[in-house]
Amino acid sequence: MNAILEAALEVQRFCELRRWRFCVIGALAVQRWGEPRLTQDVDISVVSGFGPEAEFVDALLSRYRGRLADTRDFALRRRVVLLESAGGVPIDVSLGGIPFEERVVERSSGWDVGGAAPLVTCSAEDLIVLKVFAGRDKDWLDVEGVAIRQGTRLDVALIRRELAPLLELKDDARSWPRLDAVLKRAEP
């Protein structure tokens, strides 16, 4: 098993022992649902809610080394804990608090990666929502890869329902036609 998957399973065990609600997002989820691409880190979303973030950050920092001199302060300001596994793999932990982030974790499922336990990742639909919201060029490549690989198995209505308030919050109307074009190209 490669170091990235080992780090993902390690942080997953850490979260499970604490009964935290979580799932892997990012490039590892892309490997499950889309066109695999190289990644150098593990992205995970942990539902912390609003208020107890410091408890989550402190617990993570008690086990993992922070990647910044002010990792704790950065995490409490930005809701992202930048860590490093024992093997040197970067781990980015997003502290989720909005209802969409809770639903992402509720819809997550296990993926057999050949370890002792399946790796818990977000759904293909939620991955598309997260990637469209992020909106970088590499995110759109991931969206296209997921759409092509998953095809008609995608719940497009769910994607639209979850994405609408996020794009409205971001005042982003340009992503809709781009998403429609990607989904159309993915049709069989």
Side-chain angles (χ1 to χ4, degrees):
M1 180 177 305
N2 73 35
I4 304 293
L5 286 174
E6 286 178 10
L9 289 167
E10 176 188 316
V11 74
Q12 175 174 291
R13 282 189 298 274
F14 181 86
C15 292
E16 287 171 339
L17 286 172
R18 283 150 188 79
R19 300 183 195 276
W20 291 353
R21 296 176 297 151
F22 70 93
C23 68
V24 172
I25 56 177
L28 281 177
V30 170
Q31 288 184 21
R32 178 181 185 184
W33 300 114
E35 293 302 314
R37 67 172 169 86
L38 292 176
T39 184
Q40 301 298 317
D41 67 358
V42 173
D43 297 300
I44 187 166
S45 180
V46 173
V47 177
S48 65
F50 294 100
E53 295 91 342
E55 296 169 28
F56 288 82
V57 172
D58 292 341
L60 288 160
L61 288 172
S62 74
R63 169 63 179 86
Y64 297 97
R65 188 177 74 74
R67 297 198 327 255
L68 304 172
D70 66 340
T71 297
R72 185 178 192 278
D73 292 337
F74 180 88
L76 293 174
R77 281 193 323 272
R78 303 281 179 94
R79 300 187 63 82
V80 177
V81 193
L82 302 175
L83 306 169
E84 188 175 283
S85 75
V89 174
I91 301 170
D92 297 352
V93 180
S94 299
L95 301 174
I98 64 174
F100 167 68
E101 292 166 317
E102 292 180 11
R103 290 189 299 273
V104 167
V105 170
E106 288 168 11
R107 287 188 290 258
S108 66
S109 63
W111 174 39
D112 183 5
V113 293
L119 186 64
V120 177
T121 73
C122 65
S123 71
E125 291 83 1
D126 288 324
L127 182 59
I128 287 176
V129 172
L130 291 165
K131 292 290 186 173
V132 170
F133 184 73
R136 301 167 297 185
D137 288 340
K138 71 178 180 177
D139 295 312
W140 280 102
L141 289 173
D142 291 338
V143 168
E144 187 148 2
V146 172
I148 289 169
R149 187 161 167 213
Q150 298 307 312
T152 58
R153 290 184 296 269
L154 286 174
D155 183 343
V156 175
L158 173 67
I159 293 169
R160 292 184 187 290
R161 186 171 60 250
E162 292 290 11
L163 190 56
L166 297 174
L167 291 182
E168 185 178 322
L169 177 70
K170 208 169 118 172
D171 195 25
D172 175 5
R174 296 174 307 164
S175 290
W176 286 117
R178 191 168 182 183
L179 177 61
D180 290 338
V182 167
L183 294 173
K184 184 162 182 56
R185 283 193 301 274
E187 289 176 355

